Amino acid sequence: MPDPLSRFPRFQLAHLPTPLTEMVRLRAALTERMEPPPPRLFIKRDDCTGLAGGGNKTRKLEFLIGDALAKGCDTVVTTGALQSNHARQTAAAAATAGLRCVLVLFDSVPYEGHAYRGSGNLLLDRILGADIRIEPADADAGAVFARVMAEIEAGGSRPYLVPVGGSNAVGSLGYVGAYLEIADGLDALRIGAARIVHASSSGGTQAGLVTGRQLRGRGPSVTGVNVYRSDTDAMAASIHALACKTAALLGISAPAADAVTLDGRYLGERYGIPTAEMRMAVELVARQEGVLLDPVYTGKGMAGFIAQVLAGDHADVEALVFLHTGGMPGLFAYDGEF
Ligand SMILES: Cc1ncc(COP(=O)(O)O)c(C=O)c1O
């Protein structure tokens, strides 16, 4: 089919396609602990998108930066927690495109590790030249953005606001493309029924994948592991709403609400606070596969993936694909956990 994304402004940032590789040793380790054996296990390496440490935001930012440039903007503004991977990737994307970048980072995660407020993504944000504004957890976000946008405009610049996680319909287009890439990769391996499992947070990744499936009409189903909010049902509803907006942007029919499957069992106490299962998953995958996950997203996502596999939740498919969405710099901010 002709590329359904070709009519949207796009600024090339990612090294694509990212590798799709089989996790033979992880599967062997899990097979020892269960009967019957699990489906084949794959990993889609979106940590290898290539932009300043890689990760899922690179694909979204291709469309968001494309849109910013098409609108004549010269300054990108975005937001997240202090250790936001999205903020780091946005700073890198802006640098690549020759745009200024302002990061409004909320000190919202009650984590007291000694490196949390200086290392990891925050260190990289500084190196990438971002203008960093740190706000307290209880700051009025709307008022803060209004102030920052007005200040940029008063200086004669044109700001472009990227929402948290790059999760709007434009950003989600990046994961429509990723879905098509994964589905084609599985077809090339002659794999039939399959499922993609990934860490879900601001929702643009899952909304894009679900919309990609709607566009293609067939292919792997999608299960998100909630690493973000305690109200999983409300979060699934907002991901579905975003998928509907993404479908409307593409001019296709909306996916059904039940296309969004979100597992809320692996968040732990709250976003950004480590769990024992996360630590075990990060170490297991590092030691079996030589792949580094992260403490906030993919570590909890993989904890969910492993627990689901061991519980036999995916016995109905031939293959599972864990989508590695990046985040490795976060390990340095949580160094005391390992
Ligand atoms: C490493 C990593 N994985 C997963 C996610 C979740 O993606 P989304 O916000 O699109 O749900 C994020 C988002 O910040 C992330 O940084």
Side-chain angles (χ1 to χ4, degrees):
M1 81 174 141
D3 180 0
L5 302 175
S6 61
R7 64 192 164 90
F8 299 98
R10 185 169 183 170
F11 182 79
Q12 204 258 314
L13 292 166
H15 299 176
L16 301 178
T18 57
L20 176 67
T21 56
E22 190 155 8
M23 297 191 284
V24 175
R25 284 178 45 80
L26 178 65
R27 182 170 184 273
L30 298 183
T31 299
E32 283 176 17
R33 293 158 59 184
M34 63 189 289
E35 183 62 46
R40 290 174 72 183
L41 305 181
F42 290 84
I43 186 164
K44 176 68 171 171
R45 299 293 304 273
D46 269 17
D47 57 320
C48 300
T49 49
L51 179 69
N56 59 341
K57 307 309 174 201
T58 312
R59 291 187 192 260
K60 299 181 183 184
L61 284 160
E62 289 203 335
F63 292 95
L64 291 161
I65 298 287
D67 193 38
L69 292 171
K71 293 191 163 118
C73 297
D74 56 19
T75 304
V76 179
V77 180
T78 200
T79 185
L82 288 189
Q83 285 297 333
S84 166
N85 298 297
H86 163 67
R88 181 244 315 159
Q89 293 225 282
T90 303
T96 310
L99 305 175
R100 212 180 128 218
C101 180
V102 178
L103 300 178
V104 180
L105 304 179
F106 290 91
D107 193 356
S108 55
V109 178
Y111 183 71
E112 296 305 332
H114 75 102
Y116 188 81
R117 285 172 177 74
S119 185
N121 285 297
L122 207 43
L123 168 66
L124 303 183
D125 296 343
R126 283 205 297 272
I127 293 171
L128 290 162
D131 174 350
I132 303 168
R133 317 284 179 89
I134 295 181
E135 296 287 339
D138 59 358
D140 175 347
V144 171
F145 292 127
R147 190 180 73 227
V148 170
M149 299 296 273
E151 177 203 306
I152 295 168
E153 279 163 354
S157 295
R158 291 190 67 174
Y160 182 88
L161 186 62
V162 174
V164 67
S167 287
N168 57 15
V170 172
S172 296
L173 292 174
Y175 272 85
V176 173
Y179 184 88
L180 302 178
E181 195 179 295
I182 295 169
D184 287 350
L186 292 170
D187 276 359
L189 293 166
R190 300 189 184 288
I191 286 169
R195 184 163 298 127
I196 301 168
V197 180
H198 69 97
S200 200
S201 171
S202 64
T205 301
Q206 189 163 4
L209 293 171
V210 163
T211 309
R213 188 174 194 230
Q214 179 74 3
L215 174 70
R216 201 169 184 266
R218 63 182 181 90
S221 56
V222 179
T223 294
V225 177
N226 173 9
V227 301
Y228 193 39
R229 282 166 55 171
S230 52
D231 50 349
T232 298
D233 290 347
M235 178 167 152
S238 66
I239 293 171
H240 179 247
L242 180 53
C244 293
K245 285 185 191 154
T246 311
L249 185 62
L250 282 164
I252 61 170
S253 60
D258 66 4
V260 177
T261 302
L262 192 61
D263 187 338
R265 294 174 292 173
Y266 305 97
L267 170 66
E269 190 187 321
R270 60 185 283 175
Y271 170 83
I273 300 299
T275 62
E277 294 80 6
M278 175 280 289
R279 280 185 219 102
M280 275 188 304
V282 168
E283 292 181 355
L284 181 66
V285 172
R287 292 167 195 186
Q288 296 299 328
E289 297 290 339
V291 171
L292 294 167
L293 302 171
D294 86 281
V296 177
Y297 301 94
T298 54
K300 287 184 181 176
M302 180 59 83
F305 178 81
I306 291 170
Q308 292 165 358
V309 168
L310 289 174
D313 290 359
H314 301 295
D316 57 323
V317 294
E318 197 181 316
L320 285 174
V321 178
F322 182 79
L323 172 60
H324 189 335
T325 42
M328 195 269 265
L331 286 174
F332 298 102
Y334 287 81
D335 60 351
E337 300 297 328
F338 303 97

